[in-house]
Amino acid sequence: MDRKEFLKMCGLLGIGLPVQASISACSDDNQSSSTFEGKVLIIGAGAAGMASAYLLHQRGIDFEVLEASPTYGGRMKRTNDFVDFPVPLGAEWLHVERGVFKEVINDPNVNIDVQTTPYDNDNDYALFEGMQISTEDVGFTIDQKFIGGSWFDFFETYILPSIADKIKYEHVVTAIEYSGERVLVDTNQGQLIGDKVIVTIPVKMMQRNSISFNPALPSDKVSALESVTVWDGCKAFIEFSSKFYPTFVAFDIRPASAGQKLYYDASYGQNSNRHVLGLFAVGTGTLPYVNLSDEDLIAYMLDELDGIFEDQASANYIQHIFQNWNEEPYIGGAYITDQENWRRVRTLGEPVGDKLFFAGCSYTDGEDWSSVHTAARSAIRAVEMLV
């Protein structure tokens, strides 16, 4: 059973995903206490990095976040400038129950106002290779769309305020020396010293050896890093003057490990009269989009959609935007494939000694991976192991 089948089974059985036992330890009683009294350096300000920092802040532990880019969020990215609702250029769906928001915030006194909506499997429909099928057949069983927001907005509203002054931007980490009593982290802006480190950078950056480690990482972790497949990734959004498409338009990419491609109603559930069709593509599904100029890109997409919807795409086209995750300098792609070996993923998530810890959607316990909620839960796990 691969990751996608596992998620679908959880939805069909009406059960939640397995949550690390350590989550229950993050209770109100120990938010401000810990036996660890040193300083933690967190590499990366994506979902895992921000969640790690937030949890350390709750425990009163000193930390700094080193982010290579000029902003926070990582692959959580959205724009408010395209139409009259936030458009997620990354991290669009909630793939588990809403209770994950409480897990991340870890404070019963916080009122969580996040609106989401599930798909209506009885009335919504999809097209698959010219055939009409249900949205459930596409695999959207427990998934929900954010309304008037996104995962980015959730982190910006509830997580960022308590850690914002601890994030150092444009600090590109080049080396981590963890053989001594303390950990030395070299960046393009100088060296920082801490007692422990949480690494959250994307696996693609690790595969490119963007950070050197001394001592070298254990051979099993190096082998796992070299072996896992990270999909290419891109998204596009096209605004039309009318809605001529169903909730999903799915495509058959084989083998399943090669990638995915899906057009979908990006306006679904939004308080808006705008008509926006999204394109989500990973792996070979990104071809030929990621290799086209902007002019050729929109011509290709409209021609593709015209063939499905009898020339309605070109007739109703207004504007488009495109996000190529392969070209993001500190990200380099999408995420680990759904069909990856879970043992490799678990190896990626294991700490090295008592100084080097890993968190992120690819650094989990192997039960689930490649989504924002897994990144957040891996942060919870890493912090529990660290303290």
Side-chain angles (χ1 to χ4, degrees):
M1 179 180 293
D2 65 27
R3 170 184 173 272
K4 197 165 188 179
E5 291 169 335
F6 176 70
L7 291 172
K8 185 174 182 179
M9 183 60 68
C10 287
L12 292 174
L13 295 177
I15 60 176
L17 287 170
V19 180
Q20 296 90 336
S22 62
I23 288 179
S24 62
C26 284
S27 65
D28 226 21
D29 296 335
N30 61 17
Q31 283 182 6
S32 59
S33 64
S34 171
T35 57
F36 174 71
E37 297 180 349
K39 181 175 184 177
V40 181
L41 298 177
I42 301 169
I43 316 302
M50 294 174 72
S52 297
Y54 173 83
L55 293 168
L56 291 173
H57 169 77
Q58 285 187 327
R59 290 174 174 269
I61 296 174
D62 189 21
F63 68 88
E64 279 188 306
V65 183
L66 309 179
E67 169 56 42
S69 74
T71 188
Y72 52 85
R75 278 170 292 178
M76 297 186 300
K77 186 177 180 181
R78 62 99 171 90
T79 177
N80 290 320
D81 299 328
F82 186 60
V83 288
D84 58 355
F85 61 86
V87 172
L89 300 174
E92 183 147 3
W93 289 277
L94 173 65
H95 296 300
V96 288
E97 294 81 2
R98 288 175 51 88
V100 72
F101 298 136
K102 292 183 179 180
E103 292 173 22
V104 180
I105 292 175
N106 191 37
D107 186 345
N109 298 314
V110 174
N111 179 36
I112 304 173
D113 183 19
V114 178
Q115 297 183 31
T116 61
T117 182
Y119 289 96
D120 184 351
N121 291 321
D122 293 328
N123 295 302
D124 298 333
Y125 74 94
L127 291 178
F128 176 74
E129 300 294 311
M131 299 180 295
Q132 183 170 318
I133 60 175
S134 71
T135 55
E136 186 175 3
D137 290 332
V138 180
F140 282 77
T141 53
I142 60 175
D143 310 80
Q144 297 189 47
K145 279 275 291 177
F146 286 83
I147 301 176
S150 65
W151 268 118
F152 180 93
D153 295 281
F154 169 80
F155 273 79
E156 188 174 64
T157 300
Y158 298 100
I159 306 302
L160 180 66
S162 61
I163 66 171
D165 61 347
K166 292 284 192 150
I167 303 176
K168 291 181 176 292
Y169 296 105
E170 298 181 308
H171 276 62
V172 181
V173 174
T174 57
I176 298 176
E177 159 70 62
Y178 64 103
S179 61
E181 192 170 315
R182 304 197 75 192
V183 182
L184 310 179
V185 176
D186 292 334
T187 79
N188 62 328
Q189 299 198 41
Q191 186 179 82
L192 293 95
I193 301 175
D195 297 283
K196 299 189 180 187
V197 172
I198 301 178
V199 177
T200 75
I201 69 170
V203 166
K204 181 62 77 173
M205 294 295 100
M206 294 287 284
Q207 291 177 334
R208 293 176 179 175
N209 297 314
S210 63
I211 299 178
S212 64
F213 293 87
N214 186 20
L217 296 176
S219 58
D220 62 339
K221 189 176 286 288
V222 172
S223 177
L225 284 167
E226 293 175 345
S227 301
V228 296
T229 299
V230 179
W231 272 332
D232 292 338
C234 68
K235 293 182 76 175
F237 295 89
I238 312 171
E239 184 183 9
F240 296 102
S241 57
S242 68
K243 184 177 181 297
F244 53 84
Y245 43 84
T247 306
F248 297 108
V249 181
F251 296 81
D252 188 17
I253 294 181
R254 296 188 183 186
S257 59
Q260 299 169 4
K261 174 181 169 181
L262 181 76
Y263 280 105
Y264 60 96
D265 182 2
S267 303
Y268 191 95
Q270 305 300 321
N271 299 314
S272 172
N273 292 320
R274 309 286 282 271
H275 308 294
V276 180
L277 186 66
L279 168 68
F280 168 85
V282 292
T284 57
T286 63
L287 301 174
Y289 310 107
V290 292
N291 296 321
L292 295 173
S293 67
D294 189 68
E295 183 178 349
D296 290 338
L297 170 70
I298 187 58
Y300 183 92
M301 289 191 292
L302 291 178
D303 182 66
E304 181 174 54
L305 292 168
D306 279 341
I308 300 171
F309 299 107
E310 299 179 344
D311 298 327
Q312 294 187 74
S314 294
N316 289 279
Y317 169 76
I318 296 177
Q319 61 173 335
H320 74 280
I321 53 175
F322 184 66
Q323 171 67 44
N324 184 352
W325 285 105
N326 297 354
E327 294 182 349
E328 292 292 330
Y330 304 111
I331 295 175
Y335 47 81
I336 288 179
T337 102
D338 291 344
Q339 288 74 29
E340 189 53 74
N341 184 300
W342 66 270
R343 292 180 178 85
R344 289 176 184 160
V345 177
R346 183 174 64 183
T347 299
L348 294 181
E350 292 174 349
V352 177
D354 64 347
K355 290 189 176 68
L356 203 57
F357 299 83
F358 295 83
C361 72
S362 300
Y363 308 100
T364 74
D365 60 2
E367 291 181 342
D368 189 15
W369 59 89
S370 295
S371 55
V372 176
H373 73 268
T374 60
R377 285 174 171 170
S378 74
I380 296 171
R381 179 169 173 257
V383 169
E384 284 300 314
M385 289 189 292
L386 183 152
V387 301

